[in-house]
Amino acid sequence: MNLQTSLQEFRQELTKIALVNPFLVSSLILFSLLLLFYKSKRSSSELNLPPSPPKLPVIGNLHQLGKLPHRRLKTLSEKYGPVMLLHMGHAQTLVLSTIEMVKEITKNHDLAFADRPSSTAVDLIFNGRLDMALGRQSDQQKEAKKQCVVQLLSHKKVQEFHFIREEEVAKILDKLRLSSVNREPIKVNDLYISIAHNIISRSAFGCLYENDDGLHQSFGQLGRRITKLLSAFCFNDLFPFLGWMDHLTGLIGELKMTSKELSQFFDRVIKERQALMKDDDKVDDMKCLVDVLLYLRKKGLQSDLSLDNIKGILMDMFIGGTDSLAVTMEWMMAELMKNPRIMRKAQEEIRRVVGNKPKITQADLDQMEYFKCVVKENIRYHGAALMPRQTSGGVNFQGYDIPANTRVLINAWAIQRDPNLWDRPQEFLPERFLNCSDDSENAEHRHLMFSFGFGRRACPGMSFAYAEIEYVMANLLYWFDWELPDGQKGEDLDMSEKWIFVIYKKLPLQVVPQPYSP
């Protein structure tokens, strides 16, 4: 009997109980909710807690989040302040919405705010493995992050991987030229997922792994599936006494199945890379992240590095390097289609700098001042939404008592649209980043860095992300002109959002490429 069959039978049995004796099920739920409500009231009455919006019994403020929590939390913070406490079921959640609060954490409380909240999805998908992005703060987590930075994400390594970006982008350009013959609209998110997957696959795993028979879909699409699971509603996270409901909804079964698929994939990657290693290999011979990690383990240079630890690191790179980058590039293309003036100005600069050369070089990218401003503005305008943290102990913050294990949401989306920080924050204006001085403490580009986190939890992949976005988008804008299908106009383009762990474009963007001859 396999796992899926067992879960299906379990759900059927619970459903039978609910049908035969609904009073029993209702009583269990009611008792659990009342006990949770009593516990939360008793624990919070003795502390000087931050202000909170009015809440309902048991569910607290859950009903106030809506489908776009980053926007709703910004609205609530404008009324209740930049330090606000929400009650999400049993979980007290501190919401911070201004850059001053972030600076306060960085300066005085970075260690106290450096943990991550526990999550059923993270625990099951990563299966207890070391995880540097979403896992709890630990010495192993710090060491994993250090190895990734040194071996894959440092400025030097990012430049060494430039040939991978060149080769993968060249393949995409050839495909686009073929599709442009018949003026076929393309769904740009699929295009970007393919590019992002191929680049991270070769950089981290050593080769491409596409459409493997052991997975339900291509690995690029698997990244999006995992993102959806990480943001799925989970009873156990908010109402632990109702954790059994996650079996009824099928969430636990899907999480375990996904974890198994990922584990089998990384087992295959590790086995194949181990078979290629030689006894006289040196670390300088290693061509990808997994090779370096296996080398360190084999030579005993990293004693705590188990195979499960390596899997956790590779999962981070796979998840962080595919879907989030694809989403960022889709938003950038959408903004360019909506703003033809910006599109024209960026293309004119790119084509002037590159001239008649057969390919774009890093030296060319370094001269594209306005284009880089477009990239930065896109990250400001469509960057990270809610960055989760958790307090490792009780802390006094801004005069308030913040208990240990309080979940913390830093609303980066609100910070990047704060009118006290940005001029005309609701407009897409790349010009705001022109002539920014690196020496200025308050330079706008410095504020932009908060989109990648900060302190001990800063995203180590910022250089990798910028290099990929700049090279991919510069090539697409140089080699093609772009139109919307069926005579659509850019000003009418629907820019609605949907929130699934990151901020997606609700309606996928479709465009028609037209080859450009220099």
Side-chain angles (χ1 to χ4, degrees):
M1 182 180 296
N2 59 34
L3 174 63
Q4 192 66 17
T5 302
S6 299
L7 286 173
Q8 288 175 351
E9 290 183 357
F10 181 66
R11 290 178 209 148
Q12 290 171 0
E13 289 301 317
L14 284 177
T15 304
K16 289 178 183 177
I17 294 173
L19 292 174
V20 173
N21 197 342
F23 176 75
L24 175 60
V25 175
S26 301
S27 299
L28 285 172
I29 294 175
L30 180 60
F31 174 76
S32 300
L33 295 179
L34 289 175
L35 184 61
L36 181 63
F37 177 62
Y38 172 75
K39 182 180 178 182
S40 65
K41 290 286 287 183
R42 182 180 178 185
S43 61
S44 62
S45 60
E46 302 172 357
L47 299 174
N48 179 31
L49 299 174
S52 300
K55 61 181 184 293
L56 295 176
V58 183
I59 68 170
N61 303 105
L62 275 175
H63 64 293
Q64 295 173 303
L65 294 184
K67 294 183 178 180
L68 299 173
H70 55 290
R71 290 182 176 271
R72 185 59 182 150
L73 290 176
K74 182 178 185 295
T75 301
L76 289 172
S77 70
E78 290 170 352
K79 182 175 182 179
Y80 295 98
V83 183
M84 177 176 63
L85 190 69
L86 299 184
H87 298 82
M88 312 293 192
H90 90 294
Q92 291 193 132
T93 302
L94 184 70
V95 181
L96 306 177
S97 304
T98 66
I99 200 168
E100 288 75 21
M101 302 302 103
V102 173
K103 289 180 177 179
E104 172 69 13
I105 291 176
T106 306
K107 182 178 180 180
N108 299 317
H109 305 289
D110 196 28
L111 181 59
F113 282 81
D115 213 346
R116 291 288 194 212
S118 60
S119 161
T120 301
V122 171
D123 291 345
L124 289 178
I125 288 178
F126 287 88
N127 197 24
R129 301 181 184 96
L130 173 66
D131 167 40
M132 66 177 180
L134 300 175
R136 305 296 296 269
Q137 179 79 353
S138 67
D139 291 338
Q140 284 187 318
Q141 180 267 342
K142 288 188 288 185
E143 184 59 33
K145 184 175 180 179
K146 175 184 174 182
Q147 291 300 331
C148 282
V149 170
V150 172
Q151 307 300 343
L152 180 65
L153 302 174
S154 66
H155 179 74
K156 178 182 176 182
K157 284 292 182 180
V158 168
Q159 294 309 311
E160 288 179 2
F161 286 123
H162 183 69
F163 77 97
I164 294 177
R165 293 189 288 273
E166 283 187 343
E167 292 174 1
E168 293 305 322
V169 169
K171 295 176 188 177
I172 293 297
L173 295 177
D174 288 341
K175 292 180 181 179
L176 287 173
R177 291 186 182 101
L178 288 175
S179 65
S180 67
V181 173
N182 297 321
R183 292 185 57 83
E184 299 174 4
I186 62 167
K187 188 182 291 186
V188 297
N189 190 261
D190 291 343
L191 175 75
Y192 293 138
I193 283 180
S194 176
I195 295 175
H197 163 260
N198 290 354
I199 290 174
I200 197 65
S201 185
R202 291 181 61 187
S203 302
F205 311 147
C207 61
L208 294 180
Y209 292 89
E210 296 183 285
N211 300 318
D212 186 83
D213 292 338
L215 296 177
H216 295 316
Q217 51 192 311
S218 70
F219 289 125
Q221 294 295 335
L222 181 62
R224 174 151 297 186
R225 178 173 140 206
I226 293 170
T227 301
K228 290 180 179 179
L229 287 173
L230 290 173
S231 60
F233 181 84
C234 179
F235 284 95
N236 188 58
D237 292 342
L238 303 178
F239 308 100
F241 296 110
L242 298 178
W244 55 273
M245 293 285 290
D246 295 318
H247 293 274
L248 279 178
T249 63
L251 177 63
I252 299 299
E254 191 170 0
L255 288 169
K256 289 184 177 180
M257 182 175 61
T258 301
S259 177
K260 182 179 179 180
E261 290 178 353
L262 281 171
S263 185
Q264 289 174 343
F265 165 56
F266 289 118
D267 281 338
R268 171 187 164 185
V269 172
I270 290 172
K271 183 178 180 180
E272 290 179 358
R273 302 310 296 183
Q274 283 178 324
L276 295 174
M277 294 184 70
K278 300 176 182 178
D279 292 336
D280 58 348
D281 279 341
K282 298 179 181 179
V283 70
D284 292 338
D285 300 324
M286 305 297 105
K287 301 302 182 184
C288 62
L289 177 64
V290 65
D291 287 351
V292 172
L293 296 175
L294 290 172
Y295 175 87
L296 295 176
R297 182 174 183 271
K298 179 179 179 181
K299 298 298 183 181
L301 301 177
Q302 192 59 50
S303 58
D304 294 334
L305 201 60
S306 69
L307 290 181
D308 273 347
N309 296 154
I310 293 175
K311 286 184 184 180
I313 295 171
L314 294 179
M315 284 185 183
D316 276 330
M317 302 309 303
F318 171 68
I319 296 171
T322 52
D323 195 43
S324 58
L325 285 180
V327 170
T328 300
M329 289 189 282
E330 181 179 21
W331 277 120
M332 182 170 172
M333 180 62 83
E335 288 293 350
L336 290 170
M337 299 305 298
K338 190 173 181 63
N339 297 278
R341 176 192 68 82
I342 298 174
M343 170 76 88
R344 230 176 4 255
K345 189 171 181 179
Q347 285 185 308
E348 287 172 357
E349 179 187 64
I350 293 169
R351 290 168 179 174
R352 173 179 53 79
V353 170
V354 177
N356 295 324
K357 292 195 288 289
K359 64 181 180 180
I360 298 175
T361 66
Q362 184 59 48
D364 293 331
L365 289 172
D366 292 340
Q367 297 179 55
M368 298 177 189
E369 182 182 14
Y370 184 76
F371 170 71
K372 285 179 177 286
C373 291
V374 178
V375 174
K376 290 179 179 179
E377 177 68 348
N378 183 63
I379 290 173
R380 178 195 76 86
Y381 204 62
H382 296 290
L386 303 172
M387 295 185 287
R389 292 197 178 198
Q390 181 169 291
T391 55
S392 55
V395 60
N396 187 278
F397 183 79
Q398 294 285 307
Y400 298 110
D401 298 321
I402 310 300
N405 300 318
T406 297
R407 298 183 182 187
V408 181
L409 289 179
I410 298 164
N411 194 347
W413 185 88
I415 292 173
Q416 303 296 37
R417 300 193 182 210
D418 185 347
N420 296 315
L421 190 63
W422 306 91
D423 182 39
R424 297 155 68 185
Q426 300 300 330
E427 298 181 42
F428 191 85
L429 296 173
E431 286 79 5
R432 73 174 76 250
F433 289 103
L434 288 173
N435 303 317
C436 276
S437 170
D438 290 345
D439 299 327
S440 172
E441 181 180 353
N442 295 316
E444 289 185 315
H445 74 283
R446 286 185 177 271
H447 300 321
L448 186 69
M449 300 306 171
F450 291 109
S451 290
F452 292 89
F454 58 91
R456 287 173 171 81
R457 285 297 185 170
C459 174
M462 183 170 67
S463 295
F464 194 96
Y466 267 109
E468 182 172 326
I469 293 169
E470 289 178 355
Y471 190 73
V472 170
M473 294 302 300
N475 272 275
L476 295 180
L477 296 182
Y478 177 78
W479 291 107
F480 294 92
D481 292 316
W482 299 90
E483 301 174 3
L484 292 171
D486 303 324
Q488 298 178 42
K489 295 183 179 180
E491 58 265 29
D492 299 327
L493 191 62
D494 191 320
M495 303 293 278
S496 301
E497 303 168 337
K498 63 178 179 179
W499 187 85
I500 309 175
F501 203 69
V502 294
I503 304 172
Y504 290 87
K505 191 174 182 301
K506 187 175 182 179
L507 299 178
L509 176 66
Q510 294 193 58
V511 291
V512 179
Q514 291 296 309
Y516 165 77
S517 298

